[in-house]
Amino acid sequence: MNTISDNILALKSQIAAACLACGRNPSAVTLLAVSKTQPTSAIAEAMQAGLTAFGENQLQEALPKIQYFAAQSPEWHFIGPLQRNKTKPVAQHFSWVHSIDRLLLAERLSEQRPDYLPPLNVCIQVNVDNEPQKQGVTLAELPALATAIARLPRLRLRGLMTIPKATADQAQQRRCFATLRQAQENLQLPLDTLSMGMSNDFAVAIAEGATIIRVGTAIFGTRPRAN
Ligand SMILES: *Cc1c(COP(=O)(O)O)cnc(C)c1O
């Protein structure tokens, strides 16, 4: 079995190859290590290998990890569904939220972001493929939400996030990512982030302009439990 540091090395060369193939600079793509369900020992190994940004999708699981690594203080990204009664600890303990899909959540996060921290970086999650079970705004709802969030004082709207429909069809993945990129351009706001691409589709996402890829399995192996 490969170790986590082996996986990270292999992944970095795949990211570099994907960037080279489309003429992008690898430094423009951030590797966000999705550490949900992983123990602190696995996260420590990824930190040893140089990773500094970690993604979690459940608050109660994330908080003890954040506390455990308080001295190292990596950058924590909240990437999961967010409930309105859980916004305060997210505003206090994370640097990024990728999964905003309602103005109410954004307003609460802005109000609850502590003064001693920089503004919270946020992305709007877009349900590009219109899957009923999935989080995210529709493309039609996006412009009004983006305009409203961009005005909130304690948030910094950075860009858009999507999770494409599960498929092995690269052309279909690519259409989803291209649609998100076009939607971001259409907003005409000063946005710099496209959070798209996971273990199975990050190369296609990079070709379509991803600036943050969210990778779990390809770093840590198969997750110990479903999440
Ligand atoms: C779990 C998860 C990922 C990582 O998925 P892998 O296929 O393991 O790379 C990325 N983004 C979100 C929102 C997730 O919940």
Side-chain angles (χ1 to χ4, degrees), residues 34 36 57 79 161 163 198-199 214-217 223:
V34 176
K36 63 186 185 193
N57 71 340
I79 62 170
M161 180 273 226
I163 306 172
M198 312 193 286
S199 293
R214 309 177 311 269
V215 180
T217 312
R223 275 182 281 282

Side-chain angles (χ1 to χ4, degrees), residues 98-213:
H98 291 230
S99 44
I100 305 280
D101 61 1
R102 280 175 291 157
L103 183 57
L104 177 77
L105 291 176
E107 287 172 340
R108 288 176 65 90
L109 289 167
S110 181
E111 278 162 25
Q112 293 166 340
R113 181 68 167 172
D115 291 336
Y116 55 85
L117 292 175
L120 182 65
N121 298 295
V122 300
C123 293
I124 297 174
Q125 182 170 352
V126 185
N127 187 353
V128 174
D129 293 322
N130 284 313
E131 293 176 275
Q133 80 284 9
K134 206 163 262 175
Q135 311 279 122
V137 290
T138 63
L139 289 163
E141 293 164 331
L142 174 63
L145 182 60
T147 306
I149 291 179
R151 293 196 190 108
L152 295 174
R154 297 292 294 143
L155 300 188
R156 186 167 165 215
L157 179 61
R158 297 294 296 267
L160 306 181
M161 180 273 226
T162 198
I163 306 172
K165 193 172 183 171
T167 173
D169 178 353
Q170 287 205 353
Q172 194 180 328
Q173 293 166 350
R174 195 171 189 126
R175 269 198 303 278
C176 173
F177 296 140
T179 301
L180 194 72
R181 184 179 60 172
Q182 187 61 54
Q184 190 191 52
E185 279 171 22
N186 292 347
L187 290 176
Q188 300 195 328
L189 291 167
L191 306 178
D192 61 7
T193 300
L194 284 170
S195 168
M196 58 189 198
M198 312 193 286
S199 293
N200 291 325
D201 55 14
F202 67 83
V204 181
I206 287 171
E208 290 299 334
T211 65
I212 299 181
I213 57 172

Side-chain angles (χ1 to χ4, degrees), residues 34-38 54-66 76-83 86 89-90 94 99 223 225-227:
V34 176
S35 49
K36 63 186 185 193
T37 79
Q38 300 297 339
F54 292 86
E56 291 282 338
N57 71 340
Q58 282 193 5
L59 187 65
Q60 62 272 36
E61 181 190 332
L63 289 177
K65 293 178 181 178
I66 293 172
W76 292 101
H77 293 232
F78 193 82
I79 62 170
L82 185 53
Q83 290 156 18
K86 303 233 175 100
V90 170
F94 285 80
S99 44
R223 275 182 281 282
R225 63 185 153 81
N227 189 338

Side-chain angles (χ1 to χ4, degrees), residues 26-74:
S27 70
V29 179
T30 297
L31 175 55
L32 176 64
V34 176
S35 49
K36 63 186 185 193
T37 79
Q38 300 297 339
T40 50
S41 57
I43 298 173
E45 201 176 331
M47 280 183 197
Q48 287 282 317
L51 298 191
T52 56
F54 292 86
E56 291 282 338
N57 71 340
Q58 282 193 5
L59 187 65
Q60 62 272 36
E61 181 190 332
L63 289 177
K65 293 178 181 178
I66 293 172
Q67 201 165 32
Y68 183 88
F69 290 109
Q72 293 87 341
S73 64

